[in-house]
Amino acid sequence: MVYLRSEEHVQRWLDTNGWEPGATITAVQTNELARTWSWSRLDPGWHPRTIEESQAILGGLDLTGEFWSLR
Amino acid sequence: MDVFDLDVRRHVYFSIVASGRAPNAEEAADALGCDRPAVEASFRRLHDAHALVLFPSSTEIWMANPFCFAPTPHSVEAGGRTWTGACAWDALGIPGALHGDGRVRSECACCGEPVTLEVQDGALVEGAELLVHILVPAREWWSDIGFT
């Protein structure tokens, strides 16, 4: 998962490396996702999330569809 | 995940925040009052459960997501330290995990131009124009967590 400056840079980066496109999201979406995903990592009572809980986080940020399916 | 493994994981994360680095198995065993093989076995179970990531063929900690202990392009200033994020997502996860502000210094994967992202009060106040690309579908992330 990498930062890119524009859609043009995304395409050039994919072409240069010969990779099929995955998913492009904005840095704002990534920040919301990362913040929610990592928020409880240091909680003393942390326990592993279930797949359903993780999927709900993705879904709550409109990251849905086959690409974002954890199963 | 049993109570011992949760204790080991908690110790690992608290040590990371306190010292800025991941403890090795011997340090964790000393702190927890148990023997090194027990901690190494726990590290392996935590790795298998995706609660830690060990370097290949090792019991040294590579990632305790979002914190990473190998060089990457993603440097993060947060909580009074400079950290390394494993990827674009984890770099922004570090201020989240620390419940604070943060600044990510990284690069455009295409052109290598430096990029900066700043998080204040949970919001991205610099770098909002940037994009993040994920190559690997979600169900395959843990097939090779170093390449997503």
Side-chain angles (χ1 to χ4, degrees):
Chain A
M1 300 182 194
V2 297
Y3 299 112
L4 292 137
R5 293 171 60 203
S6 67
E7 289 283 2
E8 181 189 342
H9 283 231
V10 172
Q11 194 56 56
R12 196 185 311 160
W13 175 69
L14 291 169
D15 291 345
T16 298
N17 289 288
W19 288 329
E20 291 295 315
T24 300
I25 61 176
T26 67
V28 172
Q29 284 177 295
T30 307
N31 181 53
E32 291 173 6
L33 173 59
R35 183 175 173 81
T36 307
W37 201 268
S38 296
W39 187 258
S40 63
R41 293 279 185 183
L42 297 169
D43 288 356
W46 177 91
H47 67 279
R49 270 196 304 265
T50 64
I51 287 180
E52 289 75 17
E53 289 169 333
S54 293
Q55 196 73 66
I57 291 174
L58 296 173
L61 296 166
D62 290 330
L63 301 173
T64 58
E66 185 68 13
F67 185 88
W68 295 100
S69 173
L70 292 162
R71 288 193 189 279
Chain B
M1 192 171 292
D2 69 20
V3 171
F4 179 67
D5 289 350
L6 287 169
D7 284 346
V8 170
R9 182 201 171 276
R10 185 182 308 115
H11 172 72
V12 166
Y13 272 81
F14 284 8
S15 294
I16 289 167
V17 173
S19 71
R21 66 177 186 84
N24 61 36
E26 189 158 343
E27 291 167 333
D30 285 348
L32 292 164
C34 56
D35 61 21
R36 177 179 174 151
V39 170
E40 288 177 330
S42 178
F43 278 9
R44 291 192 191 95
R45 288 191 297 273
L46 289 164
H47 171 94
D48 290 343
H50 305 160
L52 293 176
V53 182
L54 303 178
F55 284 102
S57 306
S58 168
T59 54
E60 294 293 313
I61 295 171
W62 176 11
M63 302 176 209
N65 304 83
F67 307 99
C68 178
F69 302 98
T72 77
H74 314 295
S75 175
V76 185
E77 296 163 22
R81 292 189 187 278
T82 301
W83 308 92
T84 300
C87 64
W89 173 341
D90 270 356
L92 286 166
I94 289 173
L98 295 171
H99 297 188
D101 297 340
R103 177 181 287 265
V104 177
R105 297 180 197 279
S106 183
E107 63 186 21
C108 173
C110 175
C111 66
E113 190 78 13
V115 300
T116 301
L117 303 92
E118 184 162 357
V119 178
Q120 286 181 8
D121 297 325
L124 196 61
V125 298
E126 183 177 353
E129 75 284 4
L130 296 169
L131 300 173
V132 170
H133 194 83
I134 302 102
L135 283 167
V136 178
R139 73 168 59 84
E140 296 172 24
W141 287 342
W142 283 100
S143 298
D144 180 0
I145 195 61
F147 182 82
T148 54

